[in-house]
Amino acid sequence: MADSTLPIQGALDITPPAARKHSILEIAHSWITTVDHKKLGILYTVFGIFWLLVGGAEAIAIRIQLAMPNNHFLSPQTYNQFFTMHGTTMVFLVGMTIIFGFANYLVPLMIGARDMAFPRLNAFSFWVTAFGGTLLYYSFLGGSGLYGVGSAPDVGWFAYAPLTARAFSPGHATDYWAISLIVSGIGTVGTAINIVATTVSMRCKGMTLMRMPLFVWLFFVVSALTLITITPLTAAQIMLTIDRYLGGHFFDTQAGGSAVAWMHFFWIFGHPEVYVLILPAFAIANEIIPVFSRKAIFGYPAMAAASVGIAFVSLGVWAHHMFTVGMTSVSNAFFTLSTMLVGIPTGIKIFNWLATMWGGKIRFATPMLFLTAFLFQFLIAGLTGIMLSVSPWDWQLHNSYFVIAHFHYVLVGALVFAIFGGLYYWFPKATGKMLSEKIGKWHFWLFIIGFHLTFDTMHVPGILGMPRSIYTYEPDRGWGPWNLVVSIGGIIQGIATLVFAYNMIVSLRKGEEAGPDPWDAWTLEWTTSSPPPDYNFAIDPVVGSRRPLWDLKHPEDPDWKYEA
Amino acid sequence: MSEHHSTGSHEEHVHLPAPTHWPIIMALGVALGFTGIVTNLGLTILGVVLALAGAIGWFRQVLPREHVENIETTVEDVLVTTTRTEVERIVVPSEDRAHLPIETYPILSGLKGGLAGAIAMVPPALIYGLLAQHSIWYPINLLGGAGVANWRNPSTADIASFHLSGLIVAGIIHIITSLLVGLLYGAMLPMLPKRPILLGGLVAPVLWTGLVHATMGVINPELDARIQWGWFLVSQITFGVVAGWVVAHSQKIYTKQSMPILMRLGFEGSGLHHEDHDQAGEDRK
């Protein structure tokens, strides 16, 4: 360490130590009233991790129920509620909130800004998301209108019509589903607007669009995509509420409405939503893979362009979720081809990450372990996606466990692995403490073993014809042994997640001091202390390349000499 | 690009937005406003009141003047360190840097090749139709039937008879696909080593015929059952050889890769021309 050193005027900001200890009430008040993007980012992330534990517990209950044929661990009704709540929680309360936590914390730091463009809107967006999530789970208490415990939504996270009509879903459970997502959607839109505005207007001197970290590029794209896609979802939920409360017939097939219209509305949101979730995983990969490979990212302009390309194409693939609905063969062919098209920009990214690693001096610290697994698993997820994009193949496997395995490969194998990698990477910046590498490696190996036991195996019962959303099955189907393995894997993943939670708690209390730049990294967030001061930068940063900290560390060989 | 210096303006104090409880109050109001729909109208009223109070409080935070916190900044000299003391870069002097391919075929040659290949494919396909089903319309309808929505389980006799819609759709599919593959030939032939026509005209069609043969059973089992793969391969090789020959015998053009972006965009002006390029252009003449 410290073979090459250089004194830099004002490269590190130090906040004066607090004059006195604050009471718990004062601390709570400071977090509740905060408009600081870093605190809000932490709030988003902690909120997301909490719901991850809740949604994970629901998944474990589902897997216990399916571990053997004719099991009665959960009743059919409860099973339906659990898979509905699991899906809704994981997509809206875990994925969206954790990625916005990362964005909130890191985007201003990475572009040399002191805060988000709209700090108060940022606080409002977080709290409205939190209240929306709370409202969803309040349905367990209030779903029957008079606190009939256990009356949560049971219509699936996609809430297909006409199942959501009052005739088939009496009581208020479905209303809670729609209304909670409308409320949290307000927060999502607020945050997306904020990230777009921050990226456009708050960059420091010298940070042109083509010098922005790819992390920021990706979140800029994600936020634009979010603004486009949340709109039809909210519109559909308002229509559903009108159907249920005001006698509307938008989705009532017996009164001239269309159940397929709901599917179009939902999936026009739902498929780009997958990219809203996976592009942040790419963002994390774009930061971690180069740093731990000791090489600059390969093909920066192509990576930025591919991100925009993926977002653009993702808006035109929604009906591949509807191949079995009965669309025309021309529609099926169009959506088959458009879905396959996503493979091109995605392939560019995969190859560029591989090219970044190629010939690098790779350090397999815990963040890099997670991101290496992400790379391999995302490739597999993409390949099964291409298989499912072929409509005749999809006809055979639609609504089977093969589809479940595919999208969990994307959302767990890629997104969750990337999130864990990102948490290990930026936790020292946010807290000043390193997460334990030893426990981290236990976490990684347990999680990857559990993941592959679960989701590799899950493809098989899918091919054997096991439909999704069934609460049990007969022993003569031949699905039992496969499901047992899947469930064991799920439990191992649950244990691994608890190991991670333990690591965070222990490291917060007794972790090794991180210092400002524990990974020898290159972007602006590492030029501040860990955790950063309220104002982020005492001196407004000025950047001359895509890797400003590299330029400071290597004045004899700065990047700006090589960047066109 | 000028050299970067880590200088910037430093203020003794910075103004940051003051903490405020109005956003959380407004968020609670919005949530309660919606919750009242499924619980009690009183909650909606309370929610609206809270949301309005939150909004007003929020406005007063920023109007007429924003509430800010005055925070003292502290700057310290620190050592920026790195463990990566050796920097390895591939040294390529600019005058020796290779921009490959130096020459390539124009886009038009790919289109011409595709069109020629498309025409050359027709005779083997029609001969197959005549020999197998005594009808030249059979292979045409096999291709066109994929895009005609109202064809349901046609018999062999149906496929062997004339259908205008089948002919139009087959023509469109055939021409578009041929043009796209021709473009691919135009782009790829310069990158292939020796004997481009052998590789592009024989090896590539064999490879993609194998790929189509392996996947057609899944993609379209009906079509798979009716394709004679031997004839299919013959027609693909015919396309490949003809398209490859047309492309390979076209006049190559300079790729302009190492020219400045303005020149590649077609701008003209003094000082834009690079002497090396001009010289290279002269040499080729």
Side-chain angles (χ1 to χ4, degrees):
Chain A
M1 186 74 187
D3 294 308
S4 160
T5 61
L6 183 74
I8 298 295
Q9 276 286 334
L12 186 68
D13 308 320
I14 303 296
T15 334
R20 62 184 180 84
K21 279 201 99 171
H22 294 284
S23 71
I24 289 177
L25 270 179
E26 283 173 321
I27 292 168
H29 183 263
S30 78
W31 282 88
I32 286 169
T33 59
T34 188
V35 292
D36 177 26
H37 72 97
K38 296 180 292 296
K39 279 186 171 176
L40 287 163
I42 291 168
L43 281 171
Y44 263 114
T45 308
V46 170
F47 178 77
I49 290 169
F50 168 75
W51 290 115
L52 174 69
L53 296 173
V54 174
E58 286 159 351
I60 297 291
I62 290 167
R63 286 318 318 174
I64 291 170
Q65 168 61 24
L66 292 175
M68 54 194 71
N70 287 332
N71 199 0
H72 295 290
F73 176 71
L74 298 176
S75 70
Q77 189 71 12
T78 307
Y79 181 86
N80 290 350
Q81 291 169 354
F82 269 43
F83 79 68
T84 300
M85 294 297 268
H86 166 72
T88 309
T89 303
M90 289 302 197
V91 171
F92 294 98
L93 304 182
V94 177
M96 297 287 279
T97 51
I98 293 181
I99 64 167
F100 279 147
F102 275 95
N104 251 300
Y105 196 95
L106 293 165
V107 166
L109 281 168
M110 282 187 173
I111 61 173
R114 292 225 156 100
D115 207 323
M116 299 285 273
F118 308 116
R120 296 167 193 83
L121 175 66
N122 203 16
F124 170 78
S125 300
F126 167 72
W127 289 111
V128 87
T129 302
F131 291 137
T134 309
L135 184 55
L136 177 69
Y137 272 81
Y138 180 73
S139 64
F140 271 109
L141 299 175
S144 294
L146 284 171
Y147 311 102
V149 172
S151 193
D154 59 355
V155 288
W157 85 278
F158 34 77
Y160 280 166
L163 181 59
T164 49
R166 280 219 142 163
F168 306 105
S169 294
H172 288 304
T174 304
D175 303 320
Y176 276 102
W177 179 86
I179 285 166
S180 68
L181 295 190
I182 291 171
V183 171
S184 59
I186 294 168
T188 304
V189 168
T191 304
I193 289 169
N194 223 336
I195 293 168
V196 169
T198 304
T199 308
V200 169
S201 63
M202 306 284 283
R203 299 193 307 276
C204 67
K205 193 176 176 186
M207 184 159 287
T208 60
L209 282 178
M210 291 312 282
R211 284 188 198 144
M212 274 197 320
L214 281 170
F215 183 96
V216 181
W217 253 110
L218 266 293
F219 273 99
F220 180 57
V221 170
V222 163
S223 301
L225 198 55
T226 302
L227 288 175
I228 295 167
T229 57
I230 287 285
T231 316
L233 176 73
T234 306
Q237 283 160 341
I238 289 169
M239 285 189 265
L240 175 63
T241 307
I242 290 170
D243 271 12
R244 289 176 60 88
Y245 273 87
L246 301 175
H249 301 297
F250 289 108
F251 309 120
D252 182 357
T253 50
Q254 299 198 344
S258 169
V260 175
W262 170 270
M263 296 178 82
H264 280 294
F265 272 110
F266 185 83
W267 289 118
I268 284 171
F269 151 81
H271 195 84
E273 170 67 9
V274 175
Y275 291 94
V276 165
L277 292 171
I278 202 64
L279 286 172
F282 298 171
I284 293 165
N286 288 333
E287 296 307 314
I288 292 177
I289 289 174
V291 166
F292 287 90
S293 302
R294 301 195 174 197
K295 281 175 68 188
I297 190 83
F298 183 91
Y300 174 100
M303 290 292 252
S307 309
V308 177
I310 288 171
F312 181 75
V313 175
S314 78
L315 292 167
V317 300
W318 77 90
H320 68 214
H321 294 269
M322 301 163 60
F323 282 146
T324 57
V325 163
M327 298 185 301
T328 65
S329 56
V330 174
S331 300
N332 286 347
F334 172 83
F335 285 102
T336 291
L337 292 169
S338 63
T339 304
M340 288 179 171
L341 198 63
V342 180
I344 295 169
T346 309
I348 288 170
K349 284 187 169 293
I350 295 265
F351 283 115
N352 281 7
W353 287 322
L354 290 174
T356 304
M357 291 168 76
W358 183 270
K361 287 183 77 174
I362 299 174
R363 289 177 296 165
F364 280 112
T366 310
M368 188 61 175
L369 283 175
F370 274 102
L371 268 295
T372 308
F374 150 87
L375 208 56
F376 167 71
Q377 286 154 191
F378 180 69
L379 178 64
I380 303 289
L383 293 175
T384 54
I386 294 290
M387 289 161 78
L388 286 166
S389 75
V390 180
S391 56
W393 177 272
D394 184 80
W395 286 353
Q396 296 301 312
L397 291 167
H398 186 76
N399 269 356
S400 77
Y401 263 86
F402 188 92
V403 177
I404 309 292
H406 157 69
F407 75 70
H408 278 83
Y409 236 96
V410 177
L411 296 176
V412 181
L415 174 64
V416 172
F417 270 77
I419 284 174
F420 279 138
L423 287 170
Y424 277 92
Y425 184 64
W426 281 294
F427 184 90
K429 175 52 58 183
T431 63
K433 305 277 189 173
M434 299 294 289
L435 279 168
S436 160
E437 275 290 302
K438 189 178 174 184
I439 303 174
K441 288 195 165 58
W442 271 99
H443 169 209
F444 170 76
W445 288 112
L446 274 173
F447 199 79
I448 198 169
I449 289 165
F451 170 81
H452 285 284
L453 270 179
T454 299
F455 296 112
D456 294 10
T457 312
M458 195 184 275
H459 289 89
V460 181
I463 291 171
L464 294 176
M466 182 176 175
R468 72 193 294 184
S469 311
I470 55 169
Y471 88 101
T472 191
Y473 50 91
E474 293 298 324
D476 61 354
R477 299 300 177 93
W479 305 333
W482 300 107
N483 274 297
L484 183 61
V485 174
V486 169
S487 297
I488 290 167
I491 290 163
I492 294 171
Q493 284 177 82
I495 293 166
T497 309
L498 292 176
V499 168
F500 170 68
Y502 170 75
N503 194 0
M504 285 218 298
I505 294 162
V506 166
S507 300
L508 264 177
R509 292 180 61 203
K510 296 189 289 190
E512 182 192 336
E513 289 296 326
D517 181 22
W519 306 114
D520 204 352
W522 301 311
T523 38
L524 279 179
E525 76 270 28
W526 305 106
T527 63
T528 67
S529 58
S530 300
D534 289 346
Y535 45 82
N536 291 351
F537 304 96
I539 293 179
D540 295 330
V542 181
V543 302
S545 78
R546 291 170 196 150
R547 298 192 297 168
L549 198 44
W550 170 278
D551 294 351
L552 295 179
K553 291 170 179 177
H554 296 276
E556 78 289 353
D557 190 34
D559 267 4
W560 55 257
K561 285 184 179 177
Y562 304 92
E563 288 176 8
Chain B
M1 172 74 225
S2 62
E3 185 167 347
H4 157 65
H5 298 286
S6 59
T7 55
S9 60
H10 170 235
E11 303 144 35
E12 293 295 319
H13 292 85
V14 293
H15 298 304
L16 295 177
T20 169
H21 50 266
W22 294 116
I24 191 174
I25 288 172
M26 189 171 166
L28 183 63
V30 169
L32 287 178
F34 278 99
T35 308
I37 295 172
V38 287
T39 52
N40 189 305
L41 185 64
L43 269 184
T44 298
I45 293 166
L46 175 63
V48 170
V49 169
L50 283 174
L52 283 173
I56 292 163
W58 184 337
F59 294 159
R60 293 185 63 188
Q61 278 274 314
V62 290
L63 297 169
R65 190 177 296 169
E66 186 183 11
H67 292 206
V68 292
E69 271 190 317
N70 196 17
I71 298 195
E72 190 182 343
T73 61
T74 311
V75 182
E76 226 182 54
D77 283 351
V78 294
L79 294 175
V80 174
T81 61
T82 179
T83 54
R84 307 168 199 195
T85 53
E86 292 175 18
V87 180
E88 282 192 71
R89 291 190 187 272
I90 301 169
V91 181
V92 184
S94 57
E95 63 273 13
D96 294 341
R97 179 167 288 192
H99 291 282
L100 299 173
I102 295 168
E103 292 179 321
T104 188
Y105 299 103
I107 289 175
L108 200 60
S109 73
L111 295 175
K112 284 178 187 170
L115 214 53
I119 294 164
M121 279 178 83
V122 173
L126 297 187
I127 292 167
Y128 156 66
L130 281 170
L131 292 177
Q133 301 295 340
H134 310 295
S135 165
I136 60 167
W137 305 115
Y138 186 78
I140 293 168
N141 289 330
L142 270 188
L143 179 61
V148 181
N150 58 1
W151 282 21
R152 291 281 180 269
N153 302 320
S155 64
T156 303
D158 281 338
I159 300 174
S161 55
F162 173 74
H163 296 277
L164 181 62
S165 58
L167 178 63
I168 292 167
V169 173
I172 292 168
I173 293 173
H174 183 58
I175 288 167
I176 289 174
T177 311
S178 300
L179 290 177
L180 290 174
V181 177
L183 274 177
L184 199 62
Y185 268 51
M188 287 191 62
L189 280 182
M191 302 177 203
L192 297 171
K194 295 174 183 175
R195 300 184 184 80
I197 296 178
L198 174 70
L199 279 167
L202 191 66
V203 175
V206 168
L207 286 175
W208 82 57
T209 300
L211 181 69
V212 174
H213 177 56
T215 54
M216 188 57 78
V218 175
I219 296 168
N220 193 334
E222 285 288 317
L223 187 59
D224 184 52
R226 293 183 179 275
I227 292 178
Q228 287 286 331
W229 290 101
W231 280 100
F232 184 88
L233 181 61
V234 167
S235 62
Q236 299 305 313
I237 289 173
T238 307
F239 173 90
V241 170
V242 172
W245 191 89
V246 170
V247 172
H249 286 76
S250 302
Q251 181 70 40
K252 287 185 179 179
I253 56 169
Y254 183 52
T255 56
K256 299 182 181 177
Q257 276 196 80
S258 42
M259 288 184 181
I261 184 77
L262 285 176
M263 283 190 70
R264 282 185 275 160
L265 289 171
F267 285 85
E268 292 182 12
S270 59
L272 278 178
H273 270 273
H274 195 298
E275 286 177 18
D276 292 351
H277 300 314
D278 292 346
Q279 189 56 51
E282 290 298 320
D283 292 348
R284 266 184 293 281
K285 288 172 191 172

